[in-house]
Amino acid sequence: GSMGTCFIILYKNEKFVITNHHVINSIENTTIEVRFYGSFKIYLAIIVGEDKMSDIAVLKMATPEGQAIIENIRDLQWGNSNNMRQGDDAWAVGHPLQQEWSVSKGIISYVGRRTNNIWQELIQSDVAINNGNSGGPLLNMKGKVIGVNTFIVSPSPGAGSIGVNFSVTSNATKHVVEQLVDTGSVKRAK
């Protein structure tokens, strides 16, 4: 199966787990296994909603035990991705190459690029993001989420990062997450 990174947000007084659609899409069944930092125990989560176009999925812990765990984990706050400028510092947090935990720092190279016919705004950065970091947060210097790490441009499959990484902006993600939680799907203007 595939591995990715997730993070927790609060919406309408409820905690949800955010990750990439492509991370959970390669999983056969509808239950997702979630492991929290510092623990080897696996907790099950269910998919609240997923959106292929923005590559965002919203999960909810499936058991009271799992729910209790995330109650004790601080949720991340959304930052305003429109305020990010070229040259701003950013951090990525995740599990690259299945390592336990890592934080990498870089700078924002561009905001607003659309590639591969993706409609929404992306943040391009040179933060070192590798396989397994997908779905993890891109943070500004205040520790607020300004993007969700989605994909890297790599010279060849498995070659790793060459310093061109894309994250879905936090403003787009927040919009998608709220629609998925409220209605189960994302409505877009035709």
Side-chain angles (χ1 to χ4, degrees):
S2 71
M3 273 194 55
T5 301
C6 59
F7 62 99
I8 294 164
I9 59 117
L10 190 68
Y11 176 55
K12 292 184 173 171
N13 283 326
E14 199 174 350
K15 283 189 173 173
F16 294 97
V17 178
I18 309 301
T19 191
N20 280 152
H21 167 265
H22 79 257
V23 169
I24 63 166
N25 201 35
S26 58
I27 295 166
E28 296 297 303
N29 53 21
T30 50
T31 350
I32 312 301
E33 297 184 342
V34 179
R35 208 160 65 76
F36 296 104
Y37 178 61
S39 158
F40 290 97
K41 194 163 163 32
I42 286 174
Y43 297 91
L44 297 180
I46 48 176
I47 301 166
V48 174
E50 48 188 321
D51 180 52
K52 191 173 179 185
M53 200 178 280
S54 61
D55 199 16
I56 297 295
V58 181
L59 314 176
K60 206 170 150 174
M61 300 313 294
T63 63
E65 193 186 2
Q67 199 59 42
I69 295 269
I70 71 170
E71 285 312 313
N72 294 321
I73 298 177
R74 216 176 69 194
D75 51 292
L76 293 181
Q77 305 288 312
W78 295 114
N80 184 347
S81 48
N82 290 346
N83 294 344
M84 297 309 290
R85 297 289 173 260
Q86 281 174 303
D88 284 355
D89 285 327
W91 302 84
V93 178
H95 305 278
L97 314 173
Q98 304 199 1
Q99 287 177 29
E100 187 54 33
W101 195 249
S102 82
V103 177
S104 49
K105 185 181 174 194
I107 63 163
I108 303 288
S109 357
Y110 190 88
V111 179
R113 180 159 307 183
R114 291 171 177 77
T115 54
N116 302 3
N117 299 326
I118 290 178
W119 61 275
Q120 87 273 15
E121 287 211 331
L122 295 165
I123 294 177
Q124 182 189 329
S125 74
D126 70 352
V127 177
I129 299 172
N130 286 292
N131 269 345
N133 258 342
S134 267
L138 185 70
L139 305 170
N140 64 14
M141 298 313 284
K142 294 192 176 94
K144 296 199 165 172
V145 179
I146 48 161
V148 179
N149 305 324
T150 300
F151 60 95
I152 58 172
V153 176
S154 190
S156 63
S161 173
I162 54 164
V164 182
N165 304 305
F166 292 98
S167 310
V168 182
T169 62
S170 57
N171 292 9
T173 304
K174 184 172 186 276
H175 176 73
V176 164
V177 167
E178 291 175 0
Q179 286 204 33
L180 288 175
V181 172
D182 290 345
T183 68
S185 67
V186 179
K187 296 183 183 36
R188 294 192 171 85
K190 290 285 175 276

